Amino acid sequence: MQPRRISKAVIAQTAARIAEHAHAHRIPAVHLILHGGEPLLAGADHIAHTVRAIKQALGPGVRLDVSLQSNGLRLDETYLRLFDELGVRVGLSLDGDAEGHDRHRRRGDGRGSHAAVTAALDLLTGRYRHLYAGLLCTVELRNDPLATYEALLRSAPPRIDFLLPHGNWETPPPGLPAAGDGTPYADWLIPVFDRWYAAPRQETEVRLFADILRLLLGGRSSGEVVGLGPARMVVIETDGAIEQSDTLKSAYPGAPTTGFHVSRDTFDAVLRHPAVMARQLGRGALAAECQSCPVVRVCGGGLYAHRYRPGSGFGNPSVYCHDLFRLITHIRGVVERDVAALLEGRR
């Protein structure tokens, strides 16, 4: 059982490790993400202490970019004034309109949280809009995709992250058969892509779509959902344990564990951990069927946690393999159509 809140001693150790790594490798900027659970439960003073301690440890030569992901229920003027002072950008979790959001995001007494989240969103997008990082939305197949997207657009978010529900070959995501057949998640996302892509101007960045487009055009992904880029983050638990991405908790208990701790281990030591090294190998670490797939450079095998199968570990295609293939080939077809039309127009 982890402590509910990180202690000041662990904060100091974490700050020292971050500064040690940044200075040793001459890293010009560090991105700190305050996550949870719900990070606002730590309290304003504790959050302020954390950010200031890490800034002080890094010193003036390294920029610290701080973001916080919240469910919004405790976000108020006091927090926003503090985040304005500290330069903390805020992302909120919102799953669409009231009906869609309240399917899963409910208070302890069973009441839906949509009204409270949208009130916090109104506060954030008023005079604190410069702190607004965007929205995180988990795909729910029972929600209408276009109605969900339109609901998210109402606050003019700078970015939307559509997240696929965590699942794997042992515990498939909702609505996906155990065999991984069918493409229900691609079928949900494709209408949203078409709506987003056809907009007369860019209304927002949809991270998944933008990453696929960048990869199709020879660029890099900004995250780990698609693409062959190496894992670029570690998680510091409230007890100071250094772990891999917390998404791995969806595979099996202890999956993110490395055995390292900020009190005694460097981040360089973590990078030499076999499980972490495996996530730096790109295409070479993928299952054989992935390596021969025509969209492997774009798909990248999907999110690491979604590849898990008892007996073979993470050496499998994503449980979303068919969905990712359909989504990527649809987007590729749209790009090829537009490039062909552009070339035809130049003749």
Side-chain angles (χ1 to χ4, degrees):
M1 180 70 70
Q2 294 285 352
R4 291 175 62 85
R5 189 172 78 166
I6 192 169
S7 70
K8 289 188 176 180
V10 171
I11 291 169
Q13 293 163 350
T14 301
R17 289 299 181 198
I18 292 173
E20 172 187 58
H21 192 76
H23 296 152
H25 296 280
R26 299 181 181 180
I27 297 171
V30 171
H31 187 189
L32 172 70
I33 305 171
L34 302 176
H35 220 286
E38 173 49 50
L40 297 186
L41 288 172
D45 290 344
H46 210 64
I47 292 172
H49 174 79
T50 301
V51 174
R52 288 169 179 151
I54 296 173
K55 279 186 176 180
Q56 182 176 8
L58 286 171
V62 181
R63 187 181 79 249
L64 179 65
D65 298 325
V66 186
S67 61
L68 179 145
Q69 185 65 38
S70 172
N71 63 23
L73 297 184
R74 291 174 174 260
L75 188 65
D76 58 17
E77 185 78 27
T78 299
Y79 273 117
L80 288 171
R81 283 198 301 269
L82 173 66
F83 297 156
D84 194 19
E85 175 190 342
L86 296 174
V88 176
R89 302 190 73 222
V90 180
L92 294 183
S93 298
L94 182 68
D95 289 345
D97 58 18
E99 180 182 3
H101 179 89
D102 289 344
R103 283 190 191 277
H104 302 290
R105 298 188 185 271
R106 295 183 173 273
R107 297 174 179 271
D109 60 6
R111 290 180 299 144
S113 62
H114 183 267
V117 177
T118 52
L121 191 54
D122 288 343
L123 189 61
L124 173 61
T125 57
R127 61 192 180 95
Y128 297 103
R129 173 167 280 278
H130 58 289
L131 301 178
Y132 186 22
L135 296 174
L136 181 154
C137 175
T138 301
V139 174
E140 164 57 75
L141 296 178
R142 291 174 292 177
N143 295 342
D144 180 87
L146 293 179
T148 299
Y149 181 61
E150 295 292 348
L152 299 177
L153 285 179
R154 286 172 195 151
S155 63
R159 186 173 77 180
I160 296 172
D161 270 359
F162 283 112
L163 300 187
L164 296 172
H166 291 315
N168 53 62
W169 292 101
E170 181 179 37
T171 309
L176 196 66
D181 296 328
T183 59
Y185 287 89
D187 295 343
W188 196 97
L189 287 164
I190 284 171
V192 181
F193 170 80
D194 290 343
R195 160 70 178 78
W196 172 78
Y197 186 81
R201 57 181 174 79
Q202 188 180 44
E203 300 163 316
T204 185
E205 176 181 333
V206 177
R207 185 177 185 182
L208 176 59
F209 302 156
D211 278 347
I212 291 173
L213 285 170
R214 276 191 286 265
L215 289 161
L216 286 168
L217 297 173
R220 295 183 177 183
S221 170
S222 65
E224 299 180 20
V225 176
V226 290
L228 291 168
R232 296 191 288 266
M233 73 168 187
V234 294
V235 173
I236 310 300
E237 286 285 358
T238 53
D239 66 352
I242 307 172
E243 297 195 343
Q244 300 181 77
S245 171
D246 56 352
T247 62
L248 292 175
K249 292 178 180 179
S250 65
Y252 59 87
T257 302
T258 65
F260 295 114
H261 194 279
V262 290
S263 66
R264 61 177 182 269
D265 300 299
T266 67
F267 290 138
D268 277 350
V270 178
L271 288 171
R272 293 191 291 271
H273 186 280
V276 177
M277 290 179 67
R279 300 184 65 195
Q280 316 302 312
L281 298 177
R283 187 169 182 164
L286 300 182
E289 52 264 59
C290 290
Q291 295 193 38
S292 61
C293 177
V295 299
V296 62
R297 200 188 67 79
V298 180
C299 172
L303 190 68
Y304 194 72
H306 296 166
R307 306 175 198 171
Y308 177 73
R309 188 196 297 267
S312 54
F314 297 96
N316 309 285
S318 168
V319 72
Y320 288 106
C321 175
H322 297 307
D323 287 285
L324 290 170
F325 186 88
R326 173 159 160 69
L327 177 63
I328 291 166
T329 53
H330 174 82
I331 294 175
R332 183 178 65 189
V334 171
V335 172
E336 289 174 346
R337 177 203 68 196
D338 285 358
V339 169
L342 179 63
L343 295 176
E344 182 66 27
R346 289 185 174 181
R347 290 181 181 177

